[in-house]
Amino acid sequence: MAKVTLSVIKADIGGFVGHSAVHPEVIEKARGCLEGHPLLIDYRVVHVGDDVNLIMTHNRGRNSGEIHQLAWDTFTACTEVAKKLKLYGAGQDLLSDAFSGNIKGLGPGVAEIEVEERESEPVVVLMADKTEPGAWNLPLYKIFADPFNTIGLVIDPKMHCGFDFEVRDLIENKKVILSCPEDLYDLLVFIGAPGRYAVKRVFHRGTGEIAAASSTQRLNLIAGRYVGKDDPVCIVRCQNGYPSVGEVLEPFAFPHLVSGWMRGSHSGPLMPVAMADARPTRFDGPPRVVALGFQLANGRLVGPHDFFGDPAFDRARKLALTIADYMRRMGPFEPHRLHLDEMEYTTMPQVMEKLKDRFIDLRRDKKPKEKAAGGVA
């Protein structure tokens, strides 16, 4: 059986209104670009917040220039619609005027897996808004390395061998492979710092097959300035040697703190929501995550199933709002506002530049000590 590639490629090409949602005309334009395209087996176009997400299946493999070109052309066409409607930040994630063979490094986020379909091939596509790639670190750790979350690690003989984590250093552009359970503590050293380190891919140690993949693009590091938060996507395979669907969703019952929210400059809870509620408004947030389930059937996308529409996540949403109340009370003070290392990638340097001449260097503004009587200083 030919392998099938599932590609999830996203971009913010204009918000409606502000940073809240995507205008229906933009979604329709994207669907029109993909409908009946000979490169694709199947597709879905959805949005989370102000991001357009292209979910595509094909036989071209990961990093296909043709598929990435199709996504780029789709986002470019959508940008023209966004400009016509004067949507906010039209084309903000398209950081180049020309496609160069691969969409990576040009702004849009990319997560891809290539698989030989099993007898049943369920996958969960996770999509977030108002946060960064490291937002997946805690959930992916819990899904693939924490037996208190994923009982399959203990009782499923097909999972007992554990998983390998590919961790990216987003600052120095390096990667390391860490194996769990034996490298568990080493893994946590890095992924506990999600602003710099992010889980890119997870592999089954028994088969070597891909288990999960995420987008790790950081717009500010590509553009050299703040152009919006990264709003990452992630694909997770489920069942039969992989975590069950319920084990994949369970980490999101706890709305952990992530970086992003308003102006990409604040910490806030990642709130699991159904598609209908993926329209952040309060302080442009709180950050949202949507989980869509699909069955792959000869490359066809059977679904989606909107997992977080389940009332079982109502308490998580309530807790997220309580956390949001608490964090907002701190206004511009850390830890609600991000620490200064992260603020260097926002618009704050422009404010600092304006004030730099008003700072006095106390090390240089010292008067000579006067000598006391008898010549002793």
Side-chain angles (χ1 to χ4, degrees), residues 8-9 62-64 68-69 72 99-112 166 168 200-201 214-217 222:
V8 182
I9 305 181
R62 293 174 55 246
N63 298 319
S64 164
H68 286 207
Q69 177 80 65
W72 182 263
F99 180 76
S100 57
N102 192 300
I103 209 167
K104 293 181 180 179
L106 298 182
V110 181
E112 297 180 296
E166 179 185 320
R168 297 287 179 93
K200 175 61 179 176
R201 293 190 290 173
S214 72
S215 61
T216 54
Q217 290 72 25
I222 298 171

Side-chain angles (χ1 to χ4, degrees), residues 187-207:
L187 174 69
L188 291 173
V189 166
F190 296 105
I191 67 172
R196 175 163 182 169
Y197 298 97
V199 177
K200 175 61 179 176
R201 293 190 290 173
V202 181
F203 298 92
H204 193 290
R205 293 183 65 187
T207 64

